[in-house]
Amino acid sequence: MGSEAVTRAFADIRAALAVLNAEVDGCGSEPFSAADPLAGLADGSLDILAGAAAVEAGVAGLKARAAMKYADTAHALAPPGMPVQAQEMAVAAEIGCVLALGPRAASAFLSVSHALTTTLPLTLAALHAGTISWQHARAMADEAATLDAAGATALEAHFLDPDTPRPATAATIGEMPAHRFKHKARTWRERHHPESLEKRHTKAAADRRVEYRPDQDGMAWLSACLPADQALAGWNRLTALSRAAQGPNEPRTLTQLSADHFAQAILTSGTSATFHADNSAGNGEEASDSDGAGAGTCAGLLSPGIRAQVLVTVPVFSLMGLTEEPAVLDGYGPIPASMARDLVADGADSFYRVLVDPRDGAPLEIGRSSYRVTKAMRNWLRLRDGQCPFPGCSNPSLDNEADHLLAWHHGGTTGISNLGQPCPKHHKLRHTTGWTPTPATKNQPPGWTSPTGRHYKSEHQDWEPPHWPESALSAMPGGHADYLYIPRSPGEESLHRVLYGSS
């Protein structure tokens, strides 16, 4: 009966696929819209895409459970005395053959399946429900792999427990691409890992390396695993150089220009150029001006007038060395406090004062009534959005453009709640197609509405209250502070004063 039920179920699935394929071809029993068949077919095709994604997720969850059930029964049926390693190899080989996977891919699939069925029940349930994809589940399993059981449970609950508070306008993890969720999960893991980020970074930095890999058509890959601040500064500099080189007489694309500048930097002595830390503030700290003095050199990069910039958000007590709370490198995520202090000490020439709410870590609003977007406001946008706010886009803040959500000539203001920072590609999309941003707030980036009328939520940053050192907490009435005031003077390393009271 069991085999017959399985056969019938898959026959029903194949029959349903035939119906859906007919609908995609416009050959269904009735049109999606009698009034406008073409628009109805377009809209119906999107409905089929969404439904197919949910079904794919459910099937992925089924595959994970079936694989682990096979593994359990295979171990139970193994001959007495058969080594465990041999049993695992046999299981991986069998599943690899059934799914046409290579040995590494089969082992990876089994590893994720084991995590889902043993330690990540909320993730498996979301997969079955079709609210996340297999790629999301794999990202969750990857980030939970180095956490203990309690840490894995907390990680999963933060993103999937329905009782975890989150803004109504924020995209759920299933509404953002898996690579964006992986970034958010990695950020949470770095902040909450039982071993300090300082220790883990020290170990990882020992494995820095350059790798070479041949590719097709006379091409090859040359990549480097570097400390995040160095890698991101280099990437930002290449982007700035390439954008500066674009023009009506430059036939190369931005990607080609970046590759050419990179090759010239490592193959010629060239001129030395300065790496510079443009440190935007957050969690009650101040940030450096992008025109400040640089730190370190990168020989061979052209146009020394263009600096390599990075934005770092560092909690004030971490900046002062009172805590080791991680900082956040824009476009990357959490970095060790020592790396942030080095960026500030070596690259900071002047500071901006950016106040944040110590209760939730979110920046406080700065408003202007004129059309011009000030530098302080741009820094604020970088803090609020983190990257281009278009769904799934990872373009970093330094390469984005400030944009009025409601156009100035239509009555829009230059307040933070009416500003976004789309990347050049999505800025152009907004002004040349029917895609439109939805309203934002001082703490929430805009969502987007497509030409079909579908609304897509924005991805919100995971702000967390700063960690207060015990010495500061013990001196405060009630053990907390509501406001943190940071001095205006550049480079000052002492906390000026703490004000108490409600907002």
Side-chain angles (χ1 to χ4, degrees):
M1 185 64 182
S3 296
E4 292 179 3
V6 169
T7 300
R8 284 197 304 270
F10 280 113
D12 291 342
I13 291 173
R14 284 189 285 271
L17 288 173
V19 171
L20 291 169
N21 274 297
E23 294 291 342
V24 169
D25 293 333
C27 301
S29 57
E30 59 184 37
F32 287 103
S33 172
D36 192 342
L38 188 59
L41 181 58
D43 200 53
S45 296
L46 291 176
D47 289 339
I48 291 173
L49 276 175
V55 171
E56 283 178 347
V59 170
L62 174 64
K63 287 168 62 178
R65 293 187 67 243
M68 295 316 300
K69 184 62 67 174
Y70 168 74
D72 292 342
T73 55
H75 286 306
L77 294 170
M82 183 178 183
V84 173
Q85 185 177 9
Q87 293 181 37
E88 292 176 349
M89 289 176 61
V91 167
E94 184 79 35
I95 289 178
C97 289
V98 168
L99 299 179
L101 298 175
R104 286 188 179 181
S107 295
F109 169 72
L110 282 170
S111 177
V112 175
S113 298
H114 182 265
L116 294 176
T117 56
T118 56
T119 60
L120 299 172
L122 295 181
T123 308
L124 182 59
L127 197 59
H128 280 308
T131 56
I132 66 172
S133 70
W134 174 257
Q135 288 75 21
H136 290 85
R138 185 172 61 188
M140 182 74 81
D142 288 346
E143 296 304 322
T146 59
L147 297 171
D148 57 19
T153 298
L155 169 66
E156 191 182 44
H158 178 75
F159 291 105
L160 291 173
D161 191 331
D163 293 330
T164 299
R166 54 179 56 89
T169 58
T172 63
I173 69 169
E175 293 174 320
M176 64 183 74
H179 78 277
R180 289 304 312 161
F181 165 63
K182 184 173 180 64
H183 171 80
K184 295 177 80 68
R186 177 172 58 83
T187 296
W188 190 97
R189 171 189 170 275
E190 299 288 24
R191 287 171 172 166
H192 299 275
H193 199 287
E195 185 178 18
S196 75
L197 181 54
E198 293 284 351
K199 292 181 179 179
R200 287 181 283 126
H201 175 68
T202 299
K203 296 175 185 176
D207 293 328
R208 61 191 181 277
R209 60 197 179 276
V210 176
E211 296 181 350
Y212 164 80
R213 176 170 60 85
D215 205 347
Q216 297 175 331
D217 303 325
M219 303 297 287
W221 289 92
L222 183 63
S223 57
C225 182
L226 301 170
D229 58 332
Q230 296 178 13
L232 191 61
W235 173 259
N236 288 342
R237 179 171 169 76
L238 283 172
T239 301
L241 285 167
S242 301
R243 289 212 182 279
Q246 287 183 307
N249 298 321
E250 175 53 70
R252 291 174 293 177
T253 66
L254 183 69
T255 302
Q256 291 169 339
L257 285 164
S258 295
D260 292 346
H261 283 307
F262 176 77
Q264 190 163 10
I266 62 174
L267 295 176
T268 65
S269 58
T271 58
S272 64
T274 306
F275 268 55
H276 168 62
D278 179 9
N279 303 311
S280 268
N283 287 349
E285 85 292 3
E286 300 183 342
S288 75
D289 190 330
S290 61
D291 295 327
T297 61
C298 179
L301 288 178
L302 306 179
S303 304
I306 298 178
R307 295 180 181 275
Q309 300 178 16
V310 295
L311 303 174
V312 60
T313 302
V314 51
V316 64
F317 290 119
S318 186
L319 180 64
M320 295 165 61
L322 299 178
T323 70
E324 291 302 318
E325 183 180 0
V328 175
L329 186 64
D330 179 59
Y332 173 77
I335 58 173
S338 61
M339 182 184 292
R341 287 193 288 267
D342 288 342
L343 286 171
V344 172
D346 295 338
D349 179 64
S350 60
F351 287 80
Y352 287 112
R353 184 176 62 139
V354 178
L355 299 180
V356 303
D357 190 333
R359 292 165 293 191
D360 60 9
L364 300 178
E365 184 164 10
I366 303 170
R368 293 290 186 272
S369 59
S370 64
Y371 176 79
R372 180 176 177 269
V373 179
T374 67
K375 193 166 189 177
M377 296 174 76
R378 290 180 186 273
N379 284 338
W380 194 102
L381 283 173
R382 290 165 178 167
L383 290 174
R384 187 192 70 182
D385 297 356
Q387 72 277 326
C388 170
F390 192 85
C393 186
S394 299
N395 208 67
S397 293
L398 281 170
D399 192 40
N400 295 339
E401 302 166 351
D403 182 40
H404 289 74
L405 303 179
L406 176 61
W408 178 265
H409 58 275
H410 288 158
T413 68
T414 312
I416 292 298
S417 298
N418 190 45
L419 290 173
Q421 56 148 14
C423 67
K425 174 182 176 181
H426 291 118
H427 196 178
K428 182 178 180 181
L429 180 79
R430 180 262 170 98
H431 289 290
T432 58
T433 73
W435 281 89
T436 56
T438 61
T441 71
K442 68 186 184 71
N443 293 328
Q444 299 175 359
W448 288 79
T449 301
S450 75
T452 64
R454 284 172 165 77
H455 174 65
Y456 300 94
K457 294 180 179 179
S458 62
E459 177 185 333
H460 290 196
Q461 295 212 72
D462 292 325
W463 297 108
E464 292 190 9
H467 296 171
W468 291 74
E470 291 297 328
S471 58
L473 286 174
S474 61
M476 296 175 183
H480 71 281
D482 289 313
Y483 280 96
L484 183 64
Y485 175 85
I486 305 302
R488 293 176 180 270
S489 55
E492 189 170 353
E493 296 181 354
S494 62
L495 183 65
H496 187 268
R497 60 176 174 167
V498 175
L499 305 178
Y500 309 102
S502 60
S503 57

Short mmCIF file of all heavy atoms in Angstrom, two decimals, residues 117-165:
data_model
loop_
_atom_site.label_atom_id
_atom_site.label_comp_id
_atom_site.label_asym_id
_atom_site.label_seq_id
_atom_site.Cartn_x
_atom_site.Cartn_y
_atom_site.Cartn_z
N THR A 117 16.68 18.25 10.45
CA THR A 117 15.82 17.25 11.11
C THR A 117 16.17 17.00 12.57
O THR A 117 15.44 16.28 13.26
CB THR A 117 15.88 15.93 10.33
OG1 THR A 117 17.24 15.49 10.24
CG2 THR A 117 15.29 16.08 8.94
N THR A 118 17.28 17.58 13.04
CA THR A 118 17.69 17.32 14.42
C THR A 118 17.74 18.58 15.28
O THR A 118 17.33 18.55 16.45
CB THR A 118 19.06 16.64 14.48
OG1 THR A 118 20.03 17.44 13.78
CG2 THR A 118 18.99 15.25 13.84
N THR A 119 18.26 19.69 14.74
CA THR A 119 18.48 20.88 15.58
C THR A 119 17.79 22.14 15.08
O THR A 119 17.83 23.16 15.77
CB THR A 119 19.99 21.18 15.69
OG1 THR A 119 20.53 21.43 14.39
CG2 THR A 119 20.72 20.02 16.33
N LEU A 120 17.18 22.12 13.91
CA LEU A 120 16.56 23.33 13.35
C LEU A 120 15.10 23.07 12.96
O LEU A 120 14.72 23.14 11.79
CB LEU A 120 17.36 23.80 12.12
CG LEU A 120 18.82 24.18 12.36
CD1 LEU A 120 19.54 24.45 11.05
CD2 LEU A 120 18.92 25.40 13.29
N PRO A 121 14.25 22.81 13.94
CA PRO A 121 12.86 22.46 13.62
C PRO A 121 12.07 23.59 13.00
O PRO A 121 11.21 23.36 12.14
CB PRO A 121 12.28 22.06 14.99
CG PRO A 121 13.15 22.75 15.99
CD PRO A 121 14.52 22.77 15.39
N LEU A 122 12.32 24.83 13.41
CA LEU A 122 11.59 25.96 12.83
C LEU A 122 11.95 26.15 11.37
O LEU A 122 11.10 26.50 10.54
CB LEU A 122 11.89 27.25 13.61
CG LEU A 122 11.42 27.30 15.07
CD1 LEU A 122 11.77 28.66 15.68
CD2 LEU A 122 9.92 27.05 15.16
N THR A 123 13.21 25.91 11.04
CA THR A 123 13.65 26.03 9.65
C THR A 123 13.00 24.96 8.79
O THR A 123 12.53 25.23 7.67
CB THR A 123 15.18 25.92 9.56
OG1 THR A 123 15.77 26.86 10.47
CG2 THR A 123 15.68 26.22 8.16
N LEU A 124 12.97 23.74 9.29
CA LEU A 124 12.33 22.65 8.54
C LEU A 124 10.84 22.92 8.37
O LEU A 124 10.29 22.69 7.28
CB LEU A 124 12.56 21.32 9.26
CG LEU A 124 11.99 20.08 8.55
CD1 LEU A 124 12.60 19.92 7.16
CD2 LEU A 124 12.22 18.82 9.39
N ALA A 125 10.19 23.43 9.40
CA ALA A 125 8.76 23.74 9.29
C ALA A 125 8.51 24.83 8.27
O ALA A 125 7.54 24.76 7.48
CB ALA A 125 8.22 24.15 10.66
N ALA A 126 9.36 25.86 8.24
CA ALA A 126 9.21 26.94 7.26
C ALA A 126 9.44 26.41 5.85
O ALA A 126 8.78 26.85 4.89
CB ALA A 126 10.19 28.07 7.57
N LEU A 127 10.37 25.47 5.72
CA LEU A 127 10.63 24.86 4.41
C LEU A 127 9.39 24.08 3.95
O LEU A 127 8.95 24.20 2.80
CB LEU A 127 11.85 23.95 4.50
CG LEU A 127 12.54 23.52 3.21
CD1 LEU A 127 13.03 24.73 2.42
CD2 LEU A 127 13.71 22.60 3.52
N HIS A 128 8.81 23.29 4.83
CA HIS A 128 7.60 22.54 4.49
C HIS A 128 6.45 23.47 4.13
O HIS A 128 5.65 23.18 3.23
CB HIS A 128 7.19 21.65 5.67
CG HIS A 128 7.96 20.38 5.77
ND1 HIS A 128 8.12 19.50 4.72
CD2 HIS A 128 8.63 19.81 6.81
CE1 HIS A 128 8.84 18.46 5.09
NE2 HIS A 128 9.18 18.63 6.37
N ALA A 129 6.37 24.60 4.83
CA ALA A 129 5.29 25.55 4.57
C ALA A 129 5.52 26.36 3.30
O ALA A 129 4.59 27.04 2.83
CB ALA A 129 5.14 26.49 5.77
N GLY A 130 6.72 26.30 2.76
CA GLY A 130 7.02 27.03 1.53
C GLY A 130 7.32 28.49 1.75
O GLY A 130 7.34 29.27 0.78
N THR A 131 7.60 28.91 2.99
CA THR A 131 7.88 30.32 3.25
C THR A 131 9.36 30.66 3.12
O THR A 131 9.73 31.83 3.10
CB THR A 131 7.40 30.72 4.65
OG1 THR A 131 8.00 29.86 5.63
CG2 THR A 131 5.88 30.59 4.74
N ILE A 132 10.23 29.64 3.06
CA ILE A 132 11.65 29.84 2.76
C ILE A 132 12.05 28.81 1.72
O ILE A 132 11.36 27.81 1.52
CB ILE A 132 12.55 29.73 4.01
CG1 ILE A 132 12.53 28.30 4.57
CG2 ILE A 132 12.16 30.75 5.07
CD1 ILE A 132 13.54 28.06 5.67
N SER A 133 13.17 29.03 1.08
CA SER A 133 13.68 28.10 0.07
C SER A 133 14.75 27.19 0.66
O SER A 133 15.22 27.39 1.79
CB SER A 133 14.26 28.88 -1.10
OG SER A 133 15.48 29.52 -0.71
N TRP A 134 15.15 26.19 -0.12
CA TRP A 134 16.26 25.32 0.31
C TRP A 134 17.52 26.14 0.52
O TRP A 134 18.30 25.86 1.44
CB TRP A 134 16.49 24.23 -0.72
CG TRP A 134 17.68 23.39 -0.43
CD1 TRP A 134 18.91 23.44 -1.03
CD2 TRP A 134 17.79 22.36 0.57
NE1 TRP A 134 19.77 22.54 -0.49
CE2 TRP A 134 19.11 21.85 0.51
CE3 TRP A 134 16.91 21.83 1.51
CZ2 TRP A 134 19.55 20.82 1.34
CZ3 TRP A 134 17.34 20.82 2.34
CH2 TRP A 134 18.65 20.33 2.26
N GLN A 135 17.75 27.14 -0.32
CA GLN A 135 18.94 27.97 -0.16
C GLN A 135 18.92 28.72 1.18
O GLN A 135 19.96 28.87 1.83
CB GLN A 135 19.05 28.97 -1.32
CG GLN A 135 19.42 28.36 -2.66
CD GLN A 135 18.27 27.61 -3.31
OE1 GLN A 135 17.10 27.84 -2.98
NE2 GLN A 135 18.58 26.73 -4.24
N HIS A 136 17.75 29.19 1.60
CA HIS A 136 17.64 29.83 2.92
C HIS A 136 17.94 28.82 4.03
O HIS A 136 18.65 29.13 5.00
CB HIS A 136 16.23 30.38 3.13
CG HIS A 136 15.90 31.56 2.28
ND1 HIS A 136 15.42 31.43 0.99
CD2 HIS A 136 15.95 32.89 2.53
CE1 HIS A 136 15.20 32.63 0.48
NE2 HIS A 136 15.51 33.53 1.39
N ALA A 137 17.37 27.62 3.90
CA ALA A 137 17.59 26.59 4.92
C ALA A 137 19.06 26.22 5.00
O ALA A 137 19.61 26.02 6.10
CB ALA A 137 16.74 25.36 4.60
N ARG A 138 19.71 26.13 3.86
CA ARG A 138 21.14 25.79 3.85
C ARG A 138 21.96 26.89 4.51
O ARG A 138 22.91 26.62 5.26
CB ARG A 138 21.61 25.57 2.41
CG ARG A 138 23.04 25.09 2.29
CD ARG A 138 23.37 24.72 0.85
NE ARG A 138 23.24 25.86 -0.03
CZ ARG A 138 23.31 25.79 -1.35
NH1 ARG A 138 23.46 24.61 -1.95
NH2 ARG A 138 23.21 26.87 -2.10
N ALA A 139 21.59 28.16 4.27
CA ALA A 139 22.29 29.27 4.92
C ALA A 139 22.12 29.21 6.43
O ALA A 139 23.08 29.44 7.19
CB ALA A 139 21.78 30.61 4.37
N MET A 140 20.91 28.89 6.89
CA MET A 140 20.67 28.76 8.32
C MET A 140 21.53 27.65 8.91
O MET A 140 22.16 27.81 9.98
CB MET A 140 19.20 28.47 8.58
CG MET A 140 18.83 28.36 10.06
SD MET A 140 18.80 29.93 10.93
CE MET A 140 17.16 30.51 10.45
N ALA A 141 21.58 26.51 8.23
CA ALA A 141 22.37 25.38 8.72
C ALA A 141 23.86 25.73 8.75
O ALA A 141 24.58 25.35 9.69
CB ALA A 141 22.13 24.16 7.85
N ASP A 142 24.34 26.44 7.74
CA ASP A 142 25.76 26.83 7.69
C ASP A 142 26.13 27.72 8.86
O ASP A 142 27.18 27.53 9.49
CB ASP A 142 26.07 27.54 6.37
CG ASP A 142 26.07 26.61 5.17
OD1 ASP A 142 26.10 25.38 5.37
OD2 ASP A 142 26.01 27.12 4.03
N GLU A 143 25.29 28.72 9.15
CA GLU A 143 25.60 29.65 10.23
C GLU A 143 25.43 29.01 11.61
O GLU A 143 26.09 29.40 12.57
CB GLU A 143 24.73 30.90 10.12
CG GLU A 143 24.98 31.70 8.85
CD GLU A 143 26.44 32.11 8.68
OE1 GLU A 143 27.09 32.45 9.68
OE2 GLU A 143 26.93 32.07 7.53
N ALA A 144 24.53 28.02 11.72
CA ALA A 144 24.31 27.36 13.01
C ALA A 144 25.35 26.28 13.28
O ALA A 144 25.48 25.82 14.43
CB ALA A 144 22.91 26.74 13.04
N ALA A 145 26.10 25.88 12.27
CA ALA A 145 27.01 24.73 12.40
C ALA A 145 28.07 24.94 13.48
O ALA A 145 28.49 23.97 14.13
CB ALA A 145 27.67 24.44 11.05
N THR A 146 28.54 26.17 13.67
CA THR A 146 29.60 26.42 14.65
C THR A 146 29.05 26.90 15.98
O THR A 146 29.83 27.34 16.85
CB THR A 146 30.60 27.45 14.10
OG1 THR A 146 29.91 28.67 13.81
CG2 THR A 146 31.26 26.93 12.83
N LEU A 147 27.72 26.87 16.16
CA LEU A 147 27.12 27.28 17.42
C LEU A 147 26.72 26.06 18.23
O LEU A 147 26.46 24.99 17.67
CB LEU A 147 25.87 28.13 17.15
CG LEU A 147 26.08 29.46 16.42
CD1 LEU A 147 24.74 30.08 16.04
CD2 LEU A 147 26.89 30.43 17.27
N ASP A 148 26.67 26.21 19.55
CA ASP A 148 26.16 25.11 20.36
C ASP A 148 24.65 25.02 20.21
O ASP A 148 24.03 25.83 19.50
CB ASP A 148 26.57 25.28 21.82
CG ASP A 148 26.10 26.60 22.42
OD1 ASP A 148 25.17 27.23 21.86
OD2 ASP A 148 26.65 27.01 23.46
N ALA A 149 24.03 24.05 20.86
CA ALA A 149 22.59 23.83 20.68
C ALA A 149 21.78 25.06 21.07
O ALA A 149 20.83 25.44 20.36
CB ALA A 149 22.14 22.62 21.50
N ALA A 150 22.15 25.70 22.17
CA ALA A 150 21.42 26.89 22.61
C ALA A 150 21.59 28.03 21.61
O ALA A 150 20.63 28.76 21.32
CB ALA A 150 21.90 27.32 23.99
N GLY A 151 22.79 28.18 21.08
CA GLY A 151 23.03 29.24 20.10
C GLY A 151 22.27 29.01 18.81
O GLY A 151 21.72 29.95 18.23
N ALA A 152 22.23 27.75 18.35
CA ALA A 152 21.49 27.43 17.13
C ALA A 152 20.00 27.70 17.32
O ALA A 152 19.33 28.24 16.43
CB ALA A 152 21.72 25.98 16.74
N THR A 153 19.49 27.36 18.50
CA THR A 153 18.07 27.62 18.80
C THR A 153 17.78 29.11 18.80
O THR A 153 16.75 29.57 18.27
CB THR A 153 17.70 27.00 20.15
OG1 THR A 153 17.89 25.58 20.10
CG2 THR A 153 16.25 27.30 20.51
N ALA A 154 18.68 29.89 19.40
CA ALA A 154 18.48 31.35 19.46
C ALA A 154 18.57 31.97 18.07
O ALA A 154 17.79 32.87 17.73
CB ALA A 154 19.52 31.97 20.38
N LEU A 155 19.51 31.51 17.25
CA LEU A 155 19.64 32.01 15.88
C LEU A 155 18.35 31.76 15.10
O LEU A 155 17.82 32.65 14.44
CB LEU A 155 20.83 31.33 15.18
CG LEU A 155 20.95 31.54 13.67
CD1 LEU A 155 21.23 32.99 13.37
CD2 LEU A 155 22.04 30.65 13.09
N GLU A 156 17.86 30.53 15.18
CA GLU A 156 16.65 30.17 14.46
C GLU A 156 15.45 30.97 14.95
O GLU A 156 14.65 31.47 14.15
CB GLU A 156 16.40 28.67 14.62
CG GLU A 156 15.34 28.12 13.71
CD GLU A 156 15.11 26.64 13.94
OE1 GLU A 156 15.03 26.23 15.12
OE2 GLU A 156 14.99 25.91 12.96
N ALA A 157 15.34 31.12 16.26
CA ALA A 157 14.21 31.85 16.83
C ALA A 157 14.23 33.31 16.42
O ALA A 157 13.17 33.92 16.17
CB ALA A 157 14.22 31.73 18.35
N HIS A 158 15.42 33.91 16.34
CA HIS A 158 15.52 35.32 15.98
C HIS A 158 14.88 35.59 14.63
O HIS A 158 14.24 36.64 14.42
CB HIS A 158 16.98 35.76 15.97
CG HIS A 158 17.18 37.19 15.56
ND1 HIS A 158 16.89 38.25 16.39
CD2 HIS A 158 17.62 37.73 14.39
CE1 HIS A 158 17.15 39.38 15.76
NE2 HIS A 158 17.59 39.10 14.55
N PHE A 159 15.04 34.67 13.69
CA PHE A 159 14.54 34.91 12.33
C PHE A 159 13.21 34.23 12.03
O PHE A 159 12.48 34.68 11.13
CB PHE A 159 15.58 34.45 11.31
CG PHE A 159 16.82 35.29 11.29
CD1 PHE A 159 18.00 34.82 11.86
CD2 PHE A 159 16.82 36.54 10.72
CE1 PHE A 159 19.14 35.60 11.84
CE2 PHE A 159 17.95 37.33 10.70
CZ PHE A 159 19.12 36.86 11.27
N LEU A 160 12.86 33.17 12.76
CA LEU A 160 11.69 32.39 12.37
C LEU A 160 10.61 32.27 13.43
O LEU A 160 9.49 31.85 13.12
CB LEU A 160 12.13 30.99 11.94
CG LEU A 160 12.92 30.91 10.64
CD1 LEU A 160 13.43 29.51 10.40
CD2 LEU A 160 12.06 31.36 9.46
N ASP A 161 10.91 32.58 14.68
CA ASP A 161 9.89 32.48 15.71
C ASP A 161 8.86 33.60 15.50
O ASP A 161 9.22 34.77 15.48
CB ASP A 161 10.52 32.61 17.10
CG ASP A 161 9.55 32.27 18.23
OD1 ASP A 161 8.32 32.46 18.03
OD2 ASP A 161 10.00 31.80 19.28
N PRO A 162 7.57 33.26 15.33
CA PRO A 162 6.57 34.31 15.09
C PRO A 162 6.41 35.27 16.26
O PRO A 162 5.88 36.36 16.08
CB PRO A 162 5.28 33.51 14.85
CG PRO A 162 5.53 32.16 15.47
CD PRO A 162 6.99 31.91 15.33
N ASP A 163 6.86 34.89 17.45
CA ASP A 163 6.75 35.77 18.61
C ASP A 163 7.90 36.77 18.71
O ASP A 163 7.88 37.65 19.58
CB ASP A 163 6.69 34.93 19.90
CG ASP A 163 5.42 34.11 19.99
OD1 ASP A 163 4.39 34.56 19.45
OD2 ASP A 163 5.47 33.01 20.58
N THR A 164 8.91 36.64 17.85
CA THR A 164 10.01 37.60 17.85
C THR A 164 9.53 38.92 17.26
O THR A 164 9.04 38.94 16.12
CB THR A 164 11.21 37.08 17.03
OG1 THR A 164 11.68 35.86 17.60
CG2 THR A 164 12.34 38.10 17.02
N PRO A 165 9.61 40.04 17.99
CA PRO A 165 9.11 41.32 17.46
C PRO A 165 9.89 41.75 16.23
O PRO A 165 11.12 41.66 16.20
CB PRO A 165 9.30 42.30 18.62
CG PRO A 165 9.82 41.52 19.77
CD PRO A 165 10.20 40.17 19.31
#
